[in-house]
Amino acid sequence: MKVLVVGSGGREHALCWAIAASPLCEKLWCAPGNAGIAQDAECVAIGAEDLDGIVAFAREHAVDLVVVGPEGPLVLGLVDRLNDAGIRAFGPSAAAARLEGSKGFMKDLCAAHGIPTAAYGRFTDAAAAKAFVRERGAPIVVKADGLAAGKGVVVAESVAEAEAAIDDALVANRFGDAGAELVVEEFLEGEEASYFALVDGKTVLPLASAQDHKRVGDGDTGPNTGGMGAYSPAPVMTPEMEARVLDEIVHPLVAAMTEAGCPFKGVVFAGLMIGESGPKLIEINVRFGDPECQTLMMRLRSDLLPALVASADGALAHLDLRWHPETALCVVMAANGYPGDYAKGTEIRGLDAAASDDVTVFHAGTKREAERILATGGRVLGVTALGASVAEAQARAYAAVDRIDWPDGFCRRDIGWRAVARETAGG
């Protein structure tokens, strides 16, 4: 098969790495890719949201499958455009991608179908949003309705902080159109986890769980980011809890989308809060997470490519996937200053020394200039390790991090801390 992956981040490197290993893959491209992806695929200079360019390339090269990595082109309708051109694509239609493209749409769907989630309100008027906050009190969560690159969520510890977040979005227009409407919702207590499943419009094929670390600093401090690290599986997602997530959230969600006239195909990424009463849905993403995807691909023993094709073709019913029992843990290395202003073009050395049989360094924001690897983004590398326990995977990942020579980068030093503490306590 000839395959084109769309995107340029660590998620896309992990997908290319897995697809390139498939005996079914005879040719692999990535648009636009990065320096690490270039080791597994031929990179082509087409932007992820250049829908015309991607469709034209897929036609010209008789691509058999286009795998769309990021949410942006999905929300813009890339899969629809490809399907209209007779090209098979992995991912949801624009109508189905509203699950991520509009938090309000997702919340309304949950409310209509009894899917457990936080109580909420939708607002385009700052005064009304502030009145809701004052009525509810703090802590409380303020979210931009649209896509905001992982930075449109504020967990406000006080009413004043929530009101400032409302003004940022609705008055100062910080997030542009993405923040023209807000979802304000109750703060949920518990432990966060992520759950992934492939869907073909009808059938749900469970994948695995993970736990992300959104805050920039150790101990979950500082502002939210796109993700500073993750590990899989998440111990809080016991077999019993996984069954509840599938029965109470994923299956009803898929059925609701079909009922709404926009059947879902692709990957469902459920962001969850596991509390005393069970799982509640925080958000739905319509693509693999980054950096969760890196951990999932490290653990996957089966060939990924047939599963992606089956999702696109509506043929998941008889498919099964095998997983390594080990833990995979990913440490994100970011440019100094991220998620604020950061320098670009700094050189990274020691990448070959960091890799081993148990460690893969996935690239996110990188480019190659001659023999030099340069940082081009905020989140730059995903150092991912396998281990028999979370602690072992963590130790291997940080040993690899320490072999990378990049004085202009940093990372959290506590990825997986909850699970390591649980292991240490023997629970």
Side-chain angles (χ1 to χ4, degrees):
M1 291 183 68
K2 294 188 283 187
V3 181
L4 170 64
V5 174
V6 175
S8 62
R11 165 186 47 233
E12 288 75 38
H13 189 183
L15 291 171
C16 286
W17 178 79
I19 292 168
S22 171
L24 299 176
C25 182
E26 60 180 275
K27 178 65 180 178
L28 179 61
W29 296 276
C30 187
N34 62 43
I37 291 172
Q39 300 169 29
D40 297 302
E42 180 183 339
C43 295
V44 293
I46 304 172
E49 297 189 3
D50 180 359
L51 274 55
D52 291 338
I54 291 166
V55 172
F57 181 92
R59 272 180 166 155
E60 180 182 350
H61 293 84
V63 170
D64 297 299
L65 176 70
V66 178
V67 179
V68 186
E71 62 274 21
L74 292 170
V75 171
L76 290 173
L78 177 55
V79 168
D80 306 81
R81 291 282 304 277
L82 290 163
N83 288 339
D84 288 346
I87 299 161
R88 180 195 281 130
F90 172 80
S93 66
R98 285 180 295 166
L99 280 172
E100 180 168 1
S102 170
K103 295 177 180 66
F105 171 82
M106 184 276 289
K107 297 289 285 189
D108 287 352
L109 194 80
C110 289
H113 292 270
I115 297 169
T117 187
Y120 72 102
R122 298 178 67 175
F123 302 97
T124 56
D125 176 72
K130 290 176 183 178
F132 183 85
V133 166
R134 288 192 291 271
E135 178 186 340
R136 289 274 175 173
I140 197 163
V141 184
V142 180
K143 298 180 176 180
D145 178 73
L147 300 180
K151 299 171 186 175
V153 177
V154 174
V155 180
E157 300 292 339
S158 66
V159 169
E161 187 181 354
E163 291 184 338
I166 290 165
D167 284 337
D168 269 355
L170 295 181
V171 180
N173 198 33
R174 179 182 173 191
F175 304 109
D177 290 345
E181 180 174 344
L182 295 179
V183 171
V184 183
E185 63 182 31
E186 71 170 316
F187 175 79
L188 296 176
E189 297 278 0
E191 185 171 345
E192 287 193 48
S194 303
Y195 192 75
F196 297 84
L198 292 181
V199 184
D200 67 1
K202 309 179 296 295
T203 300
V204 173
L205 177 65
L207 295 180
S209 65
Q211 190 170 76
D212 188 16
H213 300 61
K214 284 291 188 191
R215 301 271 190 166
V216 73
D218 286 8
D220 293 327
T221 57
N224 276 332
T225 70
M228 293 301 295
Y231 61 96
S232 173
V236 71
M237 288 294 291
T238 62
E240 294 77 15
M241 189 60 66
E242 181 176 334
R244 287 192 63 179
V245 168
L246 287 166
D247 290 344
E248 298 173 23
I249 295 174
V250 178
H251 284 293
L253 187 81
V254 171
M257 292 298 286
T258 299
E259 183 180 316
C262 44
F264 190 94
K265 290 185 175 183
V267 63
V268 166
F269 162 10
L272 306 165
M273 184 66 75
I274 311 300
E276 291 183 1
S277 63
K280 286 193 175 183
L281 184 63
I282 300 172
E283 63 181 2
I284 286 288
N285 295 315
V286 298
R287 35 70 191 183
F288 285 102
D290 188 344
E292 295 95 336
C293 186
Q294 291 87 311
T295 65
L296 296 183
M297 294 304 106
M298 284 285 280
R299 291 187 58 225
L300 182 63
R301 295 177 64 185
S302 298
D303 190 341
L304 176 66
L305 190 50
L308 301 181
V309 172
S311 170
D313 288 352
L316 282 175
H318 303 294
L319 198 66
D320 196 15
L321 295 175
R322 295 176 300 124
W323 299 86
H324 288 290
E326 293 94 340
T327 292
L329 186 142
C330 176
V331 176
V332 170
M333 297 189 72
N336 288 341
Y338 177 81
D341 293 334
Y342 54 86
K344 297 182 180 180
T346 58
E347 185 175 1
I348 306 167
R349 302 180 183 88
L351 292 169
D352 290 340
S356 69
D357 289 344
D358 296 309
V359 177
T360 300
V361 180
F362 293 111
H363 290 226
T366 65
K367 69 176 181 179
R368 177 179 289 276
E369 281 191 359
E371 297 304 311
R372 303 165 72 222
I373 301 295
L374 305 180
T376 60
R379 294 187 300 159
V380 177
L381 301 171
V383 182
T384 309
L386 279 173
S389 64
V390 182
E392 184 174 273
Q394 183 192 62
R396 286 176 176 168
Y398 281 113
V401 165
D402 291 339
R403 288 192 287 271
I404 295 173
D405 179 12
W406 185 33
D408 297 287
F410 77 100
C411 66
R412 279 183 59 163
R413 305 297 304 197
D414 65 345
I415 301 303
W417 66 270
R418 287 186 184 86
V420 171
R422 192 178 274 118
E423 287 177 349
T424 302

PDB file of all heavy atoms in Angstrom, residues 16 39 59 72 135 161-162 212 226 300 305-306 333 366 389 408 427:
ATOM      1  N   CYS A  16       4.013   7.284  11.742  1.00  0.00           N
ATOM      2  CA  CYS A  16       4.889   6.900  10.632  1.00  0.00           C
ATOM      3  C   CYS A  16       5.797   5.748  11.031  1.00  0.00           C
ATOM      4  O   CYS A  16       6.023   4.812  10.243  1.00  0.00           O
ATOM      5  CB  CYS A  16       5.726   8.098  10.171  1.00  0.00           C
ATOM      6  SG  CYS A  16       4.813   9.337   9.225  1.00  0.00           S
ATOM      7  N   GLN A  39      13.309   9.884   8.739  1.00  0.00           N
ATOM      8  CA  GLN A  39      13.990   8.593   8.867  1.00  0.00           C
ATOM      9  C   GLN A  39      13.068   7.432   8.514  1.00  0.00           C
ATOM     10  O   GLN A  39      13.540   6.330   8.204  1.00  0.00           O
ATOM     11  CB  GLN A  39      14.505   8.418  10.293  1.00  0.00           C
ATOM     12  CG  GLN A  39      15.487   9.488  10.740  1.00  0.00           C
ATOM     13  CD  GLN A  39      15.769   9.421  12.231  1.00  0.00           C
ATOM     14  OE1 GLN A  39      15.707   8.358  12.850  1.00  0.00           O
ATOM     15  NE2 GLN A  39      16.080  10.564  12.828  1.00  0.00           N
ATOM     16  N   ARG A  59      -4.006  12.208  -5.227  1.00  0.00           N
ATOM     17  CA  ARG A  59      -4.464  11.807  -6.560  1.00  0.00           C
ATOM     18  C   ARG A  59      -3.287  11.493  -7.474  1.00  0.00           C
ATOM     19  O   ARG A  59      -3.237  10.446  -8.140  1.00  0.00           O
ATOM     20  CB  ARG A  59      -5.294  12.941  -7.176  1.00  0.00           C
ATOM     21  CG  ARG A  59      -6.764  12.911  -6.848  1.00  0.00           C
ATOM     22  CD  ARG A  59      -7.448  14.067  -7.519  1.00  0.00           C
ATOM     23  NE  ARG A  59      -8.892  13.936  -7.537  1.00  0.00           N
ATOM     24  CZ  ARG A  59      -9.722  14.956  -7.607  1.00  0.00           C
ATOM     25  NH1 ARG A  59      -9.256  16.195  -7.656  1.00  0.00           N
ATOM     26  NH2 ARG A  59     -11.021  14.759  -7.631  1.00  0.00           N
ATOM     27  N   GLY A  72      -6.815  19.968  13.273  1.00  0.00           N
ATOM     28  CA  GLY A  72      -7.137  21.091  12.397  1.00  0.00           C
ATOM     29  C   GLY A  72      -7.694  20.680  11.050  1.00  0.00           C
ATOM     30  O   GLY A  72      -8.801  21.090  10.659  1.00  0.00           O
ATOM     31  N   GLU A 135     -22.382  32.374  40.572  1.00  0.00           N
ATOM     32  CA  GLU A 135     -23.413  31.484  41.125  1.00  0.00           C
ATOM     33  C   GLU A 135     -22.810  30.145  41.538  1.00  0.00           C
ATOM     34  O   GLU A 135     -23.163  29.569  42.577  1.00  0.00           O
ATOM     35  CB  GLU A 135     -24.510  31.259  40.076  1.00  0.00           C
ATOM     36  CG  GLU A 135     -25.603  30.309  40.517  1.00  0.00           C
ATOM     37  CD  GLU A 135     -26.587  30.008  39.396  1.00  0.00           C
ATOM     38  OE1 GLU A 135     -26.658  30.779  38.423  1.00  0.00           O
ATOM     39  OE2 GLU A 135     -27.280  28.979  39.502  1.00  0.00           O
ATOM     40  N   GLU A 161     -10.098  34.767  39.013  1.00  0.00           N
ATOM     41  CA  GLU A 161      -9.310  34.144  37.945  1.00  0.00           C
ATOM     42  C   GLU A 161     -10.209  33.686  36.804  1.00  0.00           C
ATOM     43  O   GLU A 161      -9.874  33.841  35.624  1.00  0.00           O
ATOM     44  CB  GLU A 161      -8.525  32.957  38.512  1.00  0.00           C
ATOM     45  CG  GLU A 161      -7.548  32.340  37.515  1.00  0.00           C
ATOM     46  CD  GLU A 161      -6.794  31.144  38.083  1.00  0.00           C
ATOM     47  OE1 GLU A 161      -6.940  30.861  39.297  1.00  0.00           O
ATOM     48  OE2 GLU A 161      -6.060  30.490  37.309  1.00  0.00           O
ATOM     49  N   ALA A 162     -11.376  33.155  37.152  1.00  0.00           N
ATOM     50  CA  ALA A 162     -12.325  32.740  36.117  1.00  0.00           C
ATOM     51  C   ALA A 162     -12.831  33.938  35.317  1.00  0.00           C
ATOM     52  O   ALA A 162     -12.938  33.884  34.078  1.00  0.00           O
ATOM     53  CB  ALA A 162     -13.500  32.000  36.752  1.00  0.00           C
ATOM     54  N   ASP A 212      -1.839  11.595  30.724  1.00  0.00           N
ATOM     55  CA  ASP A 212      -1.056  12.723  30.232  1.00  0.00           C
ATOM     56  C   ASP A 212      -0.702  13.645  31.395  1.00  0.00           C
ATOM     57  O   ASP A 212      -1.295  13.574  32.468  1.00  0.00           O
ATOM     58  CB  ASP A 212      -1.896  13.478  29.185  1.00  0.00           C
ATOM     59  CG  ASP A 212      -1.107  14.554  28.454  1.00  0.00           C
ATOM     60  OD1 ASP A 212       0.127  14.542  28.519  1.00  0.00           O
ATOM     61  OD2 ASP A 212      -1.754  15.413  27.818  1.00  0.00           O
ATOM     62  N   GLY A 226       0.355  21.631  25.645  1.00  0.00           N
ATOM     63  CA  GLY A 226      -0.155  20.570  24.788  1.00  0.00           C
ATOM     64  C   GLY A 226       0.126  19.190  25.340  1.00  0.00           C
ATOM     65  O   GLY A 226      -0.373  18.199  24.815  1.00  0.00           O
ATOM     66  N   LEU A 300       2.112  -1.250  21.024  1.00  0.00           N
ATOM     67  CA  LEU A 300       1.321  -2.020  20.061  1.00  0.00           C
ATOM     68  C   LEU A 300       2.172  -3.114  19.407  1.00  0.00           C
ATOM     69  O   LEU A 300       3.202  -2.833  18.809  1.00  0.00           O
ATOM     70  CB  LEU A 300       0.749  -1.083  18.995  1.00  0.00           C
ATOM     71  CG  LEU A 300      -0.142  -1.733  17.940  1.00  0.00           C
ATOM     72  CD1 LEU A 300      -1.397  -2.324  18.574  1.00  0.00           C
ATOM     73  CD2 LEU A 300      -0.506  -0.710  16.862  1.00  0.00           C
ATOM     74  N   LEU A 305      -1.414  -0.790  10.381  1.00  0.00           N
ATOM     75  CA  LEU A 305      -2.005  -0.387   9.103  1.00  0.00           C
ATOM     76  C   LEU A 305      -3.337  -1.082   8.805  1.00  0.00           C
ATOM     77  O   LEU A 305      -4.299  -0.400   8.400  1.00  0.00           O
ATOM     78  CB  LEU A 305      -0.989  -0.614   7.976  1.00  0.00           C
ATOM     79  CG  LEU A 305      -1.332  -0.048   6.597  1.00  0.00           C
ATOM     80  CD1 LEU A 305      -1.740   1.413   6.678  1.00  0.00           C
ATOM     81  CD2 LEU A 305      -0.141  -0.220   5.656  1.00  0.00           C
ATOM     82  N   PRO A 306      -3.477  -2.397   8.971  1.00  0.00           N
ATOM     83  CA  PRO A 306      -4.789  -3.004   8.712  1.00  0.00           C
ATOM     84  C   PRO A 306      -5.902  -2.443   9.588  1.00  0.00           C
ATOM     85  O   PRO A 306      -7.051  -2.358   9.158  1.00  0.00           O
ATOM     86  CB  PRO A 306      -4.551  -4.492   9.007  1.00  0.00           C
ATOM     87  CG  PRO A 306      -3.090  -4.693   8.849  1.00  0.00           C
ATOM     88  CD  PRO A 306      -2.459  -3.413   9.307  1.00  0.00           C
ATOM     89  N   MET A 333      10.517  16.832  25.651  1.00  0.00           N
ATOM     90  CA  MET A 333      11.526  17.878  25.797  1.00  0.00           C
ATOM     91  C   MET A 333      11.047  19.088  24.998  1.00  0.00           C
ATOM     92  O   MET A 333      10.731  18.976  23.808  1.00  0.00           O
ATOM     93  CB  MET A 333      12.885  17.404  25.300  1.00  0.00           C
ATOM     94  CG  MET A 333      13.442  16.232  26.088  1.00  0.00           C
ATOM     95  SD  MET A 333      15.155  15.849  25.658  1.00  0.00           S
ATOM     96  CE  MET A 333      16.015  17.239  26.418  1.00  0.00           C
ATOM     97  N   THR A 366      11.145  19.712  14.854  1.00  0.00           N
ATOM     98  CA  THR A 366      12.548  19.678  14.431  1.00  0.00           C
ATOM     99  C   THR A 366      12.668  19.836  12.921  1.00  0.00           C
ATOM    100  O   THR A 366      11.731  19.565  12.172  1.00  0.00           O
ATOM    101  CB  THR A 366      13.246  18.354  14.810  1.00  0.00           C
ATOM    102  OG1 THR A 366      12.634  17.276  14.078  1.00  0.00           O
ATOM    103  CG2 THR A 366      13.167  18.081  16.294  1.00  0.00           C
ATOM    104  N   SER A 389       7.843  -1.984  34.551  1.00  0.00           N
ATOM    105  CA  SER A 389       7.015  -1.207  35.468  1.00  0.00           C
ATOM    106  C   SER A 389       7.077   0.248  35.037  1.00  0.00           C
ATOM    107  O   SER A 389       7.905   0.624  34.191  1.00  0.00           O
ATOM    108  CB  SER A 389       7.533  -1.349  36.898  1.00  0.00           C
ATOM    109  OG  SER A 389       8.844  -0.795  36.996  1.00  0.00           O
ATOM    110  N   ASP A 408      19.248  24.354  25.372  1.00  0.00           N
ATOM    111  CA  ASP A 408      18.135  25.290  25.175  1.00  0.00           C
ATOM    112  C   ASP A 408      16.780  24.625  25.383  1.00  0.00           C
ATOM    113  O   ASP A 408      15.739  25.223  25.076  1.00  0.00           O
ATOM    114  CB  ASP A 408      18.206  25.898  23.778  1.00  0.00           C
ATOM    115  CG  ASP A 408      19.461  26.722  23.573  1.00  0.00           C
ATOM    116  OD1 ASP A 408      19.536  27.822  24.140  1.00  0.00           O
ATOM    117  OD2 ASP A 408      20.379  26.241  22.882  1.00  0.00           O
ATOM    118  N   GLY A 427       0.299  -0.675  45.572  1.00  0.00           N
ATOM    119  CA  GLY A 427      -1.103  -0.716  45.150  1.00  0.00           C
ATOM    120  C   GLY A 427      -1.271  -0.354  43.722  1.00  0.00           C
ATOM    121  O   GLY A 427      -0.339  -0.100  43.014  1.00  0.00           O
TER     122      GLY A 427
END
